[in-house]
Amino acid sequence: MINFENTFHNLKNDFYANVVPSIPPKPELITYNKNLAKSLNVDLKWLESSEGLECFTGSKVMKNSNPLSMVYAGHQFGNWVPRLGDGRAILLGEVIDNNNERWDIQLKGSGVTPFSRNGDGRAALGPILREYLISHAMNKLGIPTTLALTIAKTGENIRREKILPGAIITRVAKSHIRVGTFQYFASQGKYELLKDLSDYIINRHFPEIDGNKNKYFDLFKCVLRKQAKLVSKWMSIGFIHGVMNTDNCSIIGDTIDYGPCAFMDNYKKDTVFSSIDTFGRYAFKNQPIICQWNLVQLANCLLPLFSNNKEKNIQMAQNEIDQFYQLYENFWSEELNNKLAFKIKDKDDKSLVEELYNIMENDNLDFTITFSSLSSIFKNKKNRLLNYNNNSKNFKKWVLKWKSRLTKEKQSKIEIEESLINNNPFIIPRNHLVEEAIKDANYDNFEKFHKLFDLVSNPFKFDEENHKYHIPPEIINNNYKTFCGT
Ligand code: AMP
Ligand code: MG
């Protein structure tokens, strides 16, 4: 059994539409995340039973579930769209986990909703597998993210660029509320509803600011901080979200809406993976500045809640926005310091890091391997993994500088090694591996998918046995594109 609560449903019905999921013709459970199920107090036997399958494919609406689709608006690639909403997602309710935390349980791909516009409300198996794998990898990499509990096939073929198997993912998230949710109400001047929404978020996610003199301004500050931190983590791991529209920007700073996302192989700051991002708006290097742009949109929504003084409100928001980049850089430096095992501060660190990035870019170095090789380099441990950057004289010269910089540290060798191993993943879900897994899965062979899931469950485990999953493909496809999760 599963005990749903429905705090979001208890809000006014301006925030959502009641929706009943479509019944799939031939539902079939593909996999589920055992550890997640356990932490959510979901009985594994029940989950594997026919009722569990019915629940997570929308075939049966469980007692205590009030299924709904949320309304929101958003800027898509900078263009304002006044009404979007969950076009193929249905919130079943919330559950409380072992740590007393509340989680949304949402089906994605379970049929049309009042917000589907011209879409079919369905999802193809490939993008569903990508979301399942990558969100799990992100979680294990320590990056705030939505999670995924189950994947089921619907037994229905859906029409995309070709005919593909349809699937449903059960998404588990601390929140599904987006910057776009605020924009929907603010754009219509519905400030009482905006207050209700803000209070809901404060109550559920930022209770520490409830009761503050200007809690709505403090909410903005909290969101800004969470977003800056999130993007600093993406940037330190080589992750590209792909579609940072304001409707894909979670208010609590989790990575959400895995569509055309990917990890970089060789480092190129201009990298764009999304097939729909023609102008490179959401290129790797642009992610911090786009995050700031999205926060400006959020500020515009919240301004009227700060006080009655319009000028003062703008000034307050502007001050915060102006500080965003510095805040982001501080978070990013923290990440980089950990990756390079710098504990003390040194005035030359910034230029040393810049130099490394320039070498990676100019010498076509693999982002993940450049960092993960450092622990072996530090230990002078020869292994075949080190061959990767051997052709780069610049990298070798840089390594000497880095080693000399490390002599200033007061940490023990073991502490340095630990920092290098624990902050530089050995395994990321590389594009070619994800694509191979999806290709086979489309023909009902899930072996590669399960293998990859296991591998990304332990991203920091250095294991020569897994060498072939560590390295990029022999030929990197620089035209690699991921398609919007449709
Ligand atoms: P995305 O860019 O994937 O986050 O989606 C943007 C908007 O399109 C959201 O409102 C989605 O719910 C909606 N959408 C995406 N795919 C579909 C689909 N197949 N059917 C209905 N709505 C969709
Ligand atoms: Mg979206």
Side-chain angles (χ1 to χ4, degrees), residues 72-76 79-84 180 183-184 245-247:
Y72 49 84
H75 278 95
Q76 299 195 305
N79 302 309
W80 172 239
V81 186
R83 190 172 186 264
L84 287 162
Q183 289 180 291
Y184 178 77
N245 293 337
T246 53
D247 52 296

Side-chain angles (χ1 to χ4, degrees), residues 72 76 84-86 88 108 171 178 241 243 245 247-249 256-258:
Y72 49 84
Q76 299 195 305
L84 287 162
D86 292 331
R88 53 169 172 170
K108 183 171 165 185
R171 185 155 69 179
R178 302 134 194 279
H241 180 280
V243 193
N245 293 337
D247 52 296
N248 292 336
C249 181
I256 194 170
D257 278 12
Y258 290 88

